[in-house]
């Protein structure tokens, strides 16, 4: 067992199984093999009176090894392993710490007693990956805490703390100090009290916890919490079976259901996004050789909406940050807004007053560029104007220390042109945060034609420190996300001019799974913001008289969105609830009449197709041009930054799922109806369809090259 992550040592009459399977002690094949051997070893020792199972490192078993999901099912092996553990003839105690999720929690349920250090968290988050607990969790947990509470835990898919675990009844005690010593002491106390074995499998489920009205409530909850999805409903099926089946039969039923969930599009899509997010920092063909630059402090230029949010990200990560603005007034306004953000976190119980003070102390305001001289990264977030940004980059070039990373948060401007005004264009990069910057997880990292690999590496490292999901892009108008947004937004605006109501458009998109309908997004972001971008870039736009005219008409009527209570919808003061507004609809109708736009009815299916297919089409252009390195990166941008349903896997995963030919045919259908100005299949789409290949196949082939 020398190379095994599992060892057995004797502490008097207590056998201690120690698992050391870094980084997070997954229940990998090696860990399972080691555990089988450990159990056999313990069975052979007659002197053992109790068994303790603990893990080294940052956590007890964190869960199953997700990379095994694509291989043959492992449920049978888990069943056998956990049965052998549970059948040991002496008390078995799991001593836990860290974050104990999924399979990690399930193995503890096969132990006879469970204790944990303060701060340990437990959860069964499988439904967030479109699957169900498949290592006995659906059968053992209800034997400890009942069907209803088990399902509450599974549907919430959020970890709970030790006190909650004790209160629910699956944790016996909180222990203190060293996990090994404390768990051994707990085992000795059991021996002293002659507590004996206590197998979960020998307990029965309280049938009252599976009453029909409880199941009905949970089913309704699952449907509303996980619309268009099935894993949560399957979990209800599995857990309620525990109330009527003996353990072994229940476990087989769980396996059958778990394997069924793995075959669903929902699971494949969610697991795709999970890995896609994990892989965004690994850039094909780009090696940093450890030559990234260390970022331990930052400077932000512009204390507005974005600059303030970015500064908060630094402070939240414990990094000192200096914020510069051009006037005392703008700076003070920005600093006050940051303090207000922290106040509201304190009010909502998300932060202590002491922690707030600590973070605010990391943010320093200044009006002098010389105060930026020591920062490792400088992020410019002033108004969206090329001349202004170039002026600022000249200043930054003059004061920044050698090797500082010079970044811009521009959404639309040519970063090559910004880099060109400096004497160090290879140090310049785009860091495109999303609003609100301290909340949104996505960060587009935009390399110019000359950005040095070490600077890209530094940006990717920084994103980790700031807890962002980075996606590397190349310079183009709108980068990945906003460039794909163009067709999506264009069609939504066009459809309200064709007579669809804002609610019909947003309703169809939301029912399909978008987190928020696009017109409601415009209202939230400010219709003036979109109109200003449109005006500044008018020369780029196609000669379509209806192009973005819904926004422009509402804006002309003084409707700015939520900020003045009137946009595509009407809002009451201090309330974000959308109300239909006949006045907005009249404005849209009058605009359509003026522009001679034919009126038609819009089924939900058409709304979704017309919004989502342009996304896919542009995504394929972006991919072929190399603006995004991989299809999965495009999927991450839309899932992490634009509320695309993760359970559909992102636009490009979705395209493969429904079939590229379906997308292609629909684009031709709309081309026949609306002309080719907007509806033209991307070359890559046309090619793959003619070759009968999927995007996944195309990508796999590219990865090999
Ligand atoms: N708001 C968004 O949703 C969003 C999202 C992503 C990127 N961006 C980009 O971020 C940048 C900033 O946008 P914002 O929404 O935060 O704008 P904002 O108007 O809220 O803030 C801009 C700040 O820059 C300051 N400023 C102007 N000129 C300056 C100068 N010469 N020196 C120093 N400071 C100066 C202003 O006083 C103001 O505080 C823009 O490039 C924008 O395109 C915005």
């Amino acid at each position: 067992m020398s190379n095994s992550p599992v060892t057995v040592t004797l502490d008097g009459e207590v056998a201690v199984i120690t698992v050391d399977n870094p980084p997070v002690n997954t229940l990998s094949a090696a860990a399972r093999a080691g555990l089988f051997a450990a159990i056999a070893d313990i069975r052979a020792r007659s002197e053992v009176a109790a068994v303790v199972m603990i893990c080294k490192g940052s956590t007890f078993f964190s869960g199953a090894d997700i990379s095994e999901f694509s291989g043959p099912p492992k449920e049978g092996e888990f069943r056998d392993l956990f049965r052998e553990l549970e059948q040991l003839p002496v008390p078995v105690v799991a001593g836990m710490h860290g974050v104990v999720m999924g399979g990690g929690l399930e193995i503890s349920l096969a132990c006879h007693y469970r204790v944990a250090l303060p701060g340990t968290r437990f959860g069964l988050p499988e439904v967030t990956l479109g699957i169900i607990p498949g290592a006995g969790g659906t059968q053992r947990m209800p034997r400890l805490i009942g069907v209803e509470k088990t399902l509450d835990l599974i549907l919430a898919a959020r970890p709970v703390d030790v006190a909650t675990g004790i209160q629910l009844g699956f944790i016996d005690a909180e222990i203190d100090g060293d996990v090994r010593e404390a768990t051994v002491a707990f085992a000795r106390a059991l021996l002293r009290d002659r507590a004996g074995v206590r197998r979960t499998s020998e307990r029965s489920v309280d049938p009252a916890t599976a009453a029909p009205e409880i199941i009905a409530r949970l089913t309704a909850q699952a449907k509303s919490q996980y619309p268009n999805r099935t894993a949560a409903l399957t979990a209800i099926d599995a857990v309620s079976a525990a109330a009527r089946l003996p353990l072994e039969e229940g476990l087989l039923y769980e396996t059958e259901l778990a394997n069924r969930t793995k075959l669903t599009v929902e699971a494949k899509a969610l697991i795709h996004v999970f890995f896609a997010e994990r892989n965004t920092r690994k850039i094909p063909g780009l090696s940093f050789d450890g030559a990234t630059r260390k970022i331990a402090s930052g400077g932000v230029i512009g204390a507005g909406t974005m600059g303030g949010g970015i500064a908060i990200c630094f402070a939240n990560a414990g990094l000192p940050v200096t914020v510069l603005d051009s006037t005392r007034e703008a700076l003070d306004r920005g600093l006050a807004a940051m303090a207000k953000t922290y106040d509201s976190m304190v009010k909502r119980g998300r932060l202590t007053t002491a922690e707030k003070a600590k973070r605010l102390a990391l943010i320093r305001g200044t009006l002098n560029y010389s105060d930026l001289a020591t920062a490792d990264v400088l992020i410019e977030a002033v108004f969206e104007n090329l001349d202004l940004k170039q002026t600022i980059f000249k200043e930054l070039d003059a004061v920044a220390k050698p090797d500082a990373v010079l970044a811009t948060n521009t959404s639309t401007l040519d970063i090559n042109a910004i880099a060109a005004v400096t004497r160090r264009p290879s140090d310049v990069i785009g860091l495109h945060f999303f609003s609100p910057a301290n909340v949104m997880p996505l960060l587009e990292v935009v390399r110019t034609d000359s950005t040095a690999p070490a600077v890209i590496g530094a940006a990717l490292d920084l994103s980790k420190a700031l807890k962002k999901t980075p996606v590397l892009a190349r310079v183009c108008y709108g980068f990945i996300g906003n460039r794909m947004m163009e067709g999506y937004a264009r069609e939504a605006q066009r459809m309200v001019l064709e007579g669809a109501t804002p609610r019909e458009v947003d309703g169809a998109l939301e029912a399909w799974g978008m987190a928020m309908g696009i017109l409601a997004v415009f209202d939230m972001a400010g219709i003036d913001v979109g109109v200003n971008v449109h005006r500044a870039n008018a020369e780029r736009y196609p000669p379509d008289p209806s192009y973005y005219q819904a926004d422009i008409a509402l804006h002309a009527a003084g409707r700015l969105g939520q900020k003045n209570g009137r946009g595509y919808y009407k809002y009451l003061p201090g309330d974000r609830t959308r109300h239909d507004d006949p006045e907005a609809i009249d404005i849209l109708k009058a605009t359509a009449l003026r522009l001679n736009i034919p009126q038609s009815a819009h089924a939900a299916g058409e709304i979704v197709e017309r919004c989502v297919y342009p996304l896919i089409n542009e995504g394929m252009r972006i991919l072929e041009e190399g603006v995004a390195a991989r299809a999965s990166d495009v999927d991450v941008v839309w899932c992490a930054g634009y509320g695309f349903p993760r359970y559909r896997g992102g636009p490009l995963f979705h395209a493969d799922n429904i079939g590229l030919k379906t997308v292609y045919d629909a684009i031709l259908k709309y081309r026949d109806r609306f002309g080719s100005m907007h509806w033209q299949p991307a070359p890559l789409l046309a090619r793959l369809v003619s070759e009968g290949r999927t995007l996944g196949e195309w990508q796999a082939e590219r990865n090999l090259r």
Side-chain angles (χ1 to χ4, degrees):
M1 265 181 41
S2 58
N3 285 327
S4 169
V6 183
T7 48
V8 178
T9 48
L10 284 185
D11 189 332
E13 74 284 34
V14 179
V16 180
I17 302 176
T18 305
V19 182
D20 186 9
N21 192 24
V24 287
N25 291 317
T26 55
L27 271 161
S28 63
R32 297 196 298 274
L35 287 169
F36 272 118
I39 293 166
D41 182 21
I42 288 167
R43 275 195 175 273
R45 294 171 191 259
S46 56
E47 71 273 29
V48 171
V51 176
V52 155
M53 186 162 70
I54 53 163
C55 292
K56 280 201 163 163
S58 61
T59 183
F60 189 71
F61 293 108
S62 61
D65 181 350
I66 295 177
S67 64
E68 285 186 353
F69 283 8
S70 49
K74 299 287 188 298
E75 277 79 2
E77 195 185 325
F78 275 98
R79 265 199 320 269
D80 293 347
L81 175 63
F82 290 9
R83 186 189 308 110
E84 288 201 20
L85 183 65
E86 192 170 44
Q87 289 305 321
L88 278 169
V90 295
V92 182
V93 187
M96 299 184 269
H97 70 294
V99 182
V100 183
M101 305 292 267
L105 182 52
E106 290 174 287
I107 193 173
S108 81
L109 305 178
C111 297
H112 304 163
Y113 300 87
R114 285 155 294 279
V115 296
L117 288 183
T120 311
R121 300 195 303 150
F122 315 89
L124 292 171
E126 284 81 353
V127 293
T128 62
L129 289 178
I131 55 177
I132 63 167
T138 69
Q139 304 303 301
R140 285 196 178 87
M141 190 60 101
R143 284 175 161 75
L144 294 172
I145 69 174
V147 165
E148 183 177 22
K149 287 176 181 168
T150 300
L151 282 169
D152 283 342
L153 207 60
I154 291 175
L155 296 189
R158 288 232 171 98
V160 297
D161 60 13
V162 180
T164 310
I166 292 173
Q167 190 210 343
L168 286 171
F170 68 86
I171 299 296
D172 294 291
E174 182 172 282
I175 49 173
D176 263 321
D178 176 71
V179 71
R180 177 187 170 118
E181 274 173 31
T183 311
V184 169
F186 184 88
R188 290 232 161 81
L190 289 175
L191 294 176
R192 219 172 28 243
D193 298 346
R194 302 184 184 287
V197 299
R198 194 188 65 178
R199 299 186 181 104
T200 308
S201 58
E202 288 165 6
R203 299 165 68 131
S204 56
V205 176
D206 175 1
T209 65
E213 59 276 15
I214 292 175
I215 300 303
R217 171 185 76 76
L218 290 163
T219 303
Q221 182 193 328
K223 284 184 177 162
S224 94
Q225 193 181 346
Y226 299 100
N228 301 331
R229 297 171 58 172
T230 57
L233 296 170
T234 309
I236 294 175
D237 185 354
V239 175
S240 22
R244 55 172 201 275
L245 298 178
L247 184 85
E248 286 298 327
E249 273 181 53
L251 289 175
L252 287 175
Y253 188 56
E254 176 193 82
T255 295
E256 185 191 322
L257 294 182
N259 286 332
R260 212 186 288 163
T261 58
K262 284 187 203 161
L263 299 177
T264 61
V265 171
E266 170 187 345
K268 289 181 179 157
L270 288 163
I271 291 169
H272 162 75
V273 177
F274 176 87
F275 283 112
E277 286 184 342
R278 279 224 309 214
N279 286 334
T280 60
R281 284 189 184 84
K282 295 182 201 137
I283 313 296
L286 194 67
S287 124
F288 310 116
D289 294 331
T292 73
R293 300 180 191 174
K294 202 169 154 31
I295 295 184
S297 64
V300 175
I301 302 88
T305 311
M306 296 306 291
I310 295 166
I312 288 175
C313 290
F314 274 79
N316 288 351
L319 303 176
V321 60
T322 304
V323 184
L324 178 145
D325 210 301
S326 54
T327 64
R328 166 63 49 196
E329 195 198 342
L331 181 63
D332 287 347
R333 199 182 327 122
L335 293 171
M338 292 174 228
K340 207 168 141 202
T341 301
Y342 279 124
D343 284 342
S344 84
M345 285 169 78
V346 171
K347 221 177 274 164
R348 279 178 292 147
R350 304 252 314 274
L351 200 67
T352 62
T353 320
E355 190 57 36
K356 170 188 127 180
K358 215 163 108 191
R359 296 192 191 178
L360 275 174
L362 288 166
I363 303 176
R364 191 162 71 112
T366 186
L367 297 171
N368 300 321
Y369 276 89
S370 57
D371 287 333
L372 302 177
T374 57
D376 296 323
V377 61
L378 294 169
I379 305 175
E380 168 279 313
V382 303
F383 304 136
E384 188 76 342
N385 175 302
L386 184 61
D387 287 343
L388 176 62
K389 289 192 194 267
Q390 286 178 326
T391 310
I392 286 177
F393 268 75
K394 281 184 203 153
E395 295 267 15
L396 298 182
D397 192 15
V399 297
K401 67 179 187 186
D403 277 358
V405 172
L406 306 185
T408 171
N409 184 46
T410 182
S411 312
T412 56
L413 300 173
D414 178 359
I415 306 177
N416 282 309
I418 295 175
V421 303
T422 70
R423 291 163 298 168
R424 37 176 139 176
S426 61
D427 292 344
V428 176
I429 196 163
L431 288 179
H432 187 221
F433 289 80
F434 288 70
S435 183
N438 52 310
V439 176
M440 293 293 289
L442 181 64
L443 178 67
E444 280 182 321
V445 174
V446 189
R447 62 194 290 192
T448 69
D449 297 342
S450 43
T451 307
V455 171
I456 298 173
L460 296 173
D461 287 350
L462 174 67
S463 70
K464 192 170 208 166
L466 302 185
K467 297 204 169 69
K468 300 290 176 201
T469 305
V471 173
L472 188 63
R474 285 187 188 274
V475 175
C476 68
Y477 182 72
F479 313 130
I480 299 174
N482 285 341
R483 176 166 157 188
M484 287 170 70
M485 171 67 102
E486 187 275 330
Y488 175 71
R490 175 196 75 221
E491 287 304 305
Q493 293 208 20
R494 165 84 195 190
M495 283 188 274
V496 288
L497 294 180
E498 291 167 9
T501 64
R503 190 170 294 278
E504 277 170 347
V505 172
D506 283 347
L509 293 170
E510 286 166 7
W512 186 78
M514 295 301 295
M516 191 188 247
I518 183 66
L519 304 172
V521 169
F522 292 147
D523 273 359
M524 190 177 67
I527 291 180
D528 51 327
V529 174
V531 169
N532 287 340
V533 172
H534 178 88
R535 288 204 177 120
N537 295 282
E539 87 287 353
R540 287 177 185 281
Y541 290 142
D544 167 3
S546 71
Y547 197 69
Y548 279 71
Q549 290 301 314
D551 255 9
I552 289 172
L554 294 172
H555 182 254
R559 304 182 72 97
L560 306 183
Q562 283 187 18
K563 68 175 85 163
N564 72 352
R566 299 177 318 145
Y568 283 90
Y569 303 90
K570 194 163 57 182
Y571 304 86
L572 299 174
D575 184 0
R576 290 163 184 257
T577 313
R578 306 171 214 162
H579 300 277
D580 294 334
D581 188 354
E583 206 180 293
I585 291 171
D586 283 347
I587 293 169
L588 297 169
K589 275 208 177 105
T591 310
L593 198 64
R594 180 168 56 75
L595 295 169
N596 227 348
I597 295 175
Q599 301 295 290
S600 58
H602 295 77
E606 176 181 334
I607 293 171
V608 171
E609 279 186 5
R610 283 177 62 184
C611 286
V612 174
Y613 291 173
L615 263 187
I616 294 171
N617 204 35
E618 200 60 29
M620 294 190 80
R621 286 203 179 95
I622 280 172
L623 205 55
E624 194 165 28
E625 289 170 20
V627 168
R630 288 164 293 200
S632 60
D633 285 347
V634 173
D635 288 335
V636 170
V637 166
W638 269 76
C639 291
Y642 295 81
F644 194 97
R646 296 169 75 89
Y647 60 83
R648 295 193 192 275
L652 297 184
F653 182 92
H654 177 65
D656 257 354
N657 177 46
I658 56 176
L660 296 183
K661 175 104 169 59
T662 306
V663 179
Y664 179 81
D665 288 346
I667 290 176
L668 294 193
K669 175 180 79 183
Y670 291 117
R671 185 175 72 183
D672 289 346
R673 194 164 140 201
F674 297 108
S676 60
M677 189 191 299
H678 301 309
W679 294 97
Q680 194 63 263
L684 179 61
L685 175 61
R687 202 167 72 239
L688 291 182
V689 168
S690 77
E691 292 168 358
R693 289 201 299 158
T694 66
L695 198 49
E697 286 162 358
W698 177 83
Q699 185 73 64
E701 211 170 88
R702 268 193 146 197
N703 293 349
L704 290 178
R705 266 193 263 135

